[in-house]
Amino acid sequence: MEKKVGRKKIKQEKQRHDPDDDNNPRNTSSSRYSDTSGLKDYVFHQIIPSFMYIWKHDQEKSYKHVDVPKSSAKNNMDPNDFISHLPDDILHHIISLLPFKSAVRTSFLSTHWKHLWKEALLDSVHDVITIEAAITAITSFVDDFDTRHRPRNKWGLIFELGHGRGSLVASISSNSSLKLDFSAGKQEFPMPFDLFLKMNIAPPNRLSRRYMFDWLLEENHPSQSEQPPSNTMRVKSLHLISVSHLSNMAVSSLVPKLPFLRSLTIAKCNGLQSLQIKEAKGLRKLVVLDCPHLQSLSFEGSSLKSFRYRGNLVSFRFRGKCNCFPLIRFCECGLLLDDAMIDIRQGALTQWTWDFEIETPFSRGLRKGNHCDCANKYKCFNSILRSIKDVQSLTMCRWFYETTMCKKLPFSSRCPKYYLSVLELWWIDCSMERESINALLCFLKLCPNLKRLNITVSLPFL
Amino acid sequence: MLLSKNSALESKDNEIFEVEESIAIQSELIKTMTTMVNSKAYVNERNQMVPEARCRKQANYHVEQNNKIVDEELSDWESKFFEVDMDDLHELFMAANYLEIESLLNGVTKRVGDFIKACKNVEVIRQTFGINNDFAAQQEEEIRKLNSWNHI
């Protein structure tokens, strides 16, 4: 079929160009058929270009660039929106020119853009089946990653694990942050699991003068070895998203390999029932968001500066253990949070506690005097207050404040036991009725240094 | 450059541009055709889809590019060349895409990339490019949450 059409086109062209150009070798057509060299010429100059013409314009699918859809309605795209109509190759190129964060943000533009950044910036790996193998591949990828010399278009790996294990997207950004997104598809009733992370993090400032005697008390740490730290060890910030019962073991084995971790984010882990983090001496920031089945959270570490939590109110248990030499009074250990976000507008489970203890040698003797006489010392607002009293940026829900009020609270004319040093307060409420405002005003009495107040009124999530 | 041949390119609006062959073959499409055919007049009708303005831009772009020897001048000129509004950028894109001119395509993609970088958030990007937000409300919620995981 093609040849026929080709021949027709040739005839048309001949007719068009004959009168124009006498120097055109094509015009001497009749003599060309008599010898093979002429035939070759004929083939090269006549048929093949025509084939190319047909190939490129009639079979648009084989022509890689001409990909403009005729009707944009099928994709729900605005006809004025030319950029989304561009072929994927070009969009990938544009995305690879952007800094990593901007590139990830493009996924929020529209459904068409949702997965483009992954295709553009992540290497696809198909021959890895288990999650453990994937983690090994990720650590070797991170070790080989060199932000200076590497072509900037591959920032991570995407693994398609078969057998219902979903996919794992691993990406690194330039500030030493590793993000692992295990999405195993939607599960109606996710299997419950516990996540136990033994962090093995080196405490900060090991060589500062205050800790001169500290090394005597410390356990052997792998970073004390002679080898320079590999890239994997240098990861400062880890994001774990959608960890499930399939991946929790792998995650637990990855975590001790990151001795310099400063920030940990755990989000959207359906099925996660309890989270225990131990030996996290150097961890500065902990973020736990949107884990709907979480019941308890336990943290042991001594340098936490920022804690953010969103979800149900669960049993919190924080222990800040400090191993400093007993004579040092003002060590920097302890859970002296600068920034705390406790967004629990979703409500509470029936059993919850707030157990926040900082054990420093200095305060050991004084500890007993700090507890109030409430029936339940783990739900007492005073102890909660004590734990957040140095927080400078605080996010809090009104009902949490109300629920935890014990009798000795600032409704009375006496001065409250603790004033907060909050500079910036984010207050979450579900209405601005009289009662809500009263509660807010009571709380504000505890914050004499407040400079900025933000109020969010939102309906509780169902 | 007396020895170089001139190619005549005809645009959709039937306007003929004379460009030096060395410039014309920067376009992969034209290059493929000319190497096959080795004739200048043959190339004309292939440009059926390219309207006049684009073609003129192509010609200008290449002529200027080849004339500028100094790197600084070239990058200055290039940045001015690409400071056009969305519609023109769209035209340039389509033309570069169709004619397969890599350097032009790179220039335009870089410009679009700069646009996106300059936008502060997703909404501004959508407005600049006219992208329709077709996420359902629940998806928006998911995205809002995802955003917080990424940026907290």
Side-chain angles (χ1 to χ4, degrees):
Chain A
M1 273 303 283
E2 276 178 353
K3 258 201 171 165
K4 269 190 195 166
V5 180
R7 292 248 163 85
K8 271 190 198 156
K9 296 250 181 202
I10 293 168
K11 276 190 197 152
Q12 285 168 9
E13 286 146 17
K14 260 196 190 164
Q15 285 160 9
R16 219 180 295 170
H17 288 284
D18 269 337
D20 285 347
D21 198 350
D22 290 332
N23 294 330
N24 195 334
R26 287 182 299 120
N27 282 337
T28 56
S29 56
S30 51
S31 58
R32 283 178 176 268
Y33 292 100
S34 50
D35 54 319
T36 48
S37 61
L39 191 59
K40 222 201 300 185
D41 266 342
Y42 178 73
V43 165
F44 272 119
H45 293 295
Q46 304 289 328
I47 298 185
I48 291 182
S50 311
F51 281 1
M52 276 184 51
Y53 182 85
I54 299 155
W55 172 65
K56 281 195 172 180
H57 298 279
D58 293 352
Q59 299 176 12
E60 287 193 12
K61 285 180 191 168
S62 60
Y63 183 44
K64 58 175 180 168
H65 282 292
V66 179
D67 197 12
V68 179
K70 298 240 162 89
S71 71
S72 60
K74 62 177 176 175
N75 282 339
N76 268 343
M77 289 192 278
D78 200 332
N80 291 333
D81 165 23
F82 81 93
I83 192 171
S84 302
H85 289 301
L86 291 170
D88 282 352
D89 285 348
I90 297 185
L91 290 179
H92 290 170
H93 190 187
I94 296 176
I95 291 175
S96 64
L97 294 172
L98 300 172
F100 189 69
K101 274 198 173 167
S102 303
V104 175
R105 265 205 320 225
T106 60
S107 63
F108 304 140
L109 286 170
S110 77
T111 49
H112 180 70
W113 286 78
K114 201 170 173 199
H115 297 289
L116 283 178
W117 79 271
K118 286 185 197 163
E119 291 161 22
L121 299 180
L122 303 177
D123 262 332
S124 192
V125 179
H126 292 287
D127 51 357
V128 168
I129 308 176
T130 63
I131 293 188
E132 287 76 17
I135 300 268
T136 317
I138 291 170
T139 46
S140 53
F141 176 82
V142 173
D143 283 337
D144 293 336
F145 192 83
D146 184 346
T147 49
R148 281 162 299 153
H149 301 297
R150 185 183 189 88
R152 290 293 191 107
N153 52 350
K154 291 299 170 197
W155 290 86
L157 305 171
I158 175 166
F159 298 89
E160 292 290 337
L161 311 160
H163 308 290
R165 290 195 203 103
S167 68
L168 166 58
V169 175
S171 55
I172 327 178
S173 61
S174 50
N175 56 352
S176 318
S177 147
L178 174 63
K179 181 172 144 205
L180 302 176
D181 186 345
F182 305 83
S183 32
K186 294 215 166 142
Q187 291 170 349
E188 277 295 321
F189 300 106
M191 275 187 62
F193 67 98
D194 299 324
L195 193 56
F196 177 65
L197 301 174
K198 197 169 174 197
M199 307 291 290
N200 203 21
I201 296 180
N205 296 330
R206 281 181 61 240
L207 301 175
S208 81
R209 216 168 144 253
R210 286 181 186 160
Y211 298 90
M212 251 190 322
F213 301 102
D214 201 10
W215 64 275
L216 288 170
L217 304 170
E218 265 195 359
E219 308 98 8
N220 254 345
H221 202 282
S223 68
Q224 290 175 355
S225 63
E226 293 298 326
Q227 286 170 349
S230 65
N231 270 348
T232 309
M233 289 172 74
R234 282 205 212 109
V235 170
K236 288 216 178 106
S237 151
L238 179 63
H239 298 250
L240 299 169
I241 298 172
S242 292
V243 181
S244 68
H245 64 282
L246 298 167
S247 35
N248 61 336
M249 296 305 294
V251 167
S252 306
S253 64
L254 170 66
V255 156
K257 295 183 193 163
L258 310 171
F260 298 110
L261 205 62
R262 293 286 172 252
S263 157
L264 176 63
T265 302
I266 296 176
K268 205 192 175 190
C269 299
N270 289 334
L272 181 62
Q273 279 188 333
S274 86
L275 175 62
Q276 280 180 294
I277 302 175
K278 287 204 156 175
E279 291 182 24
K281 291 187 203 98
L283 195 69
R284 293 246 159 97
K285 184 170 174 184
L286 176 63
V287 181
V288 179
L289 301 174
D290 306 322
C291 299
H293 303 107
L294 191 64
Q295 288 168 3
S296 78
L297 197 160
S298 157
F299 178 82
E300 225 178 72
S302 55
S303 334
L304 197 66
K305 290 283 174 233
S306 166
F307 172 62
R308 290 183 182 211
Y309 179 78
R310 178 168 68 213
N312 294 324
L313 183 53
V314 297
S315 299
F316 292 101
R317 194 186 129 103
F318 283 68
R319 286 277 179 277
K321 208 172 167 195
C322 154
N323 283 331
C324 295
F325 198 71
L327 283 182
I328 296 171
R329 280 186 159 202
F330 301 108
C331 64
E332 283 178 356
C333 298
L335 291 165
L336 305 170
L337 294 175
D338 279 336
D339 159 43
M341 171 182 112
I342 305 157
D343 179 352
I344 37 185
R345 40 185 132 169
Q346 284 180 324
L349 306 175
T350 48
Q351 296 295 323
W352 65 272
T353 58
W354 182 278
D355 184 5
F356 217 95
E357 264 182 38
I358 309 160
E359 235 181 65
T360 62
F362 184 61
S363 69
R364 240 168 241 150
L366 303 177
R367 207 174 4 135
K368 285 183 187 168
N370 282 337
H371 287 163
C372 72
D373 304 326
C374 298
N376 187 350
K377 71 167 180 174
Y378 290 123
K379 284 190 178 181
C380 166
F381 191 69
N382 260 338
S383 65
I384 296 173
L385 213 56
R386 183 168 50 94
S387 57
I388 55 172
K389 90 179 146 65
D390 296 312
V391 173
Q392 295 188 339
S393 168
L394 175 66
T395 304
M396 186 135 160
C397 292
R398 187 255 302 175
W399 78 262
F400 180 53
Y401 171 64
E402 279 188 340
T403 316
T404 56
M405 274 195 292
C406 64
K407 288 169 197 167
K408 288 185 180 175
L409 248 205
F411 271 142
S412 64
S413 55
R414 277 185 307 166
C415 291
K417 213 166 188 182
Y418 301 102
Y419 278 114
L420 301 178
S421 351
V422 178
L423 296 177
E424 184 175 357
L425 175 66
W426 296 72
W427 185 258
I428 300 172
D429 205 339
C430 53
S431 74
M432 271 281 118
E433 305 278 324
R434 177 105 249 159
E435 291 167 6
S436 320
I437 300 178
N438 282 342
L440 175 60
L441 291 174
C442 283
F443 190 78
L444 288 177
K445 283 186 200 163
L446 297 171
C447 316
N449 298 327
L450 193 67
K451 285 188 181 158
R452 270 189 301 275
L453 172 64
N454 304 284
I455 301 179
T456 310
V457 179
S458 75
L459 294 172
F461 302 136
L462 289 168
Chain B
M1 303 271 272
L2 297 167
L3 298 175
S4 67
K5 285 193 276 185
N6 278 354
S7 305
L9 304 175
E10 183 178 339
S11 76
K12 188 179 186 181
D13 306 3
N14 292 327
E15 192 171 320
I16 299 188
F17 298 89
E18 286 259 343
V19 283
E20 282 185 10
E21 182 142 340
S22 56
I23 297 175
I25 59 171
Q26 289 209 12
S27 156
E28 289 293 324
L29 186 73
I30 297 177
K31 183 179 180 184
T32 328
M33 292 188 176
T34 50
T35 50
M36 283 292 179
V37 175
N38 204 17
S39 143
K40 48 191 191 249
Y42 201 68
V43 185
N44 284 349
E45 56 204 289
R46 303 308 183 225
N47 282 324
Q48 290 296 321
M49 290 173 64
V50 182
E52 175 215 337
R54 284 185 207 161
C55 224
R56 168 165 292 136
K57 281 222 172 101
Q58 305 316 304
N60 282 345
Y61 180 75
H62 289 296
V63 167
E64 296 295 327
Q65 197 182 34
N66 284 305
N67 287 340
K68 298 280 189 235
I69 308 164
V70 182
D71 278 332
E72 284 174 9
E73 268 188 45
L74 181 58
S75 57
D76 276 344
W77 179 84
E78 275 194 354
S79 47
K80 278 186 207 148
F81 182 80
F82 288 116
E83 255 170 45
V84 291
D85 64 357
M86 274 301 134
D87 289 330
D88 288 340
L89 215 54
H90 177 33
E91 300 263 326
L92 279 177
F93 238 130
M94 300 302 281
N97 196 11
Y98 178 77
L99 291 171
E100 296 175 54
I101 305 168
E102 200 169 313
S103 52
L104 187 60
L105 207 54
N106 284 343
V108 189
T109 50
K110 188 164 168 299
R111 179 87 185 110
V112 174
D114 289 341
F115 256 119
I116 295 181
K117 253 193 276 194
C119 292
K120 291 203 174 155
N121 59 25
V122 173
E123 197 47 55
V124 177
I125 301 178
R126 283 202 196 116
Q127 280 170 7
T128 315
F129 290 98
I131 299 177
N132 187 20
N133 177 12
D134 51 356
F135 283 121
Q138 199 194 12
Q139 282 173 311
E140 284 266 26
E141 187 58 43
E142 286 281 325
I143 287 166
R144 196 182 60 78
K145 286 190 177 176
L146 232 163
N147 221 351
S148 64
W149 306 330
N150 276 329
H151 298 299
I152 276 186

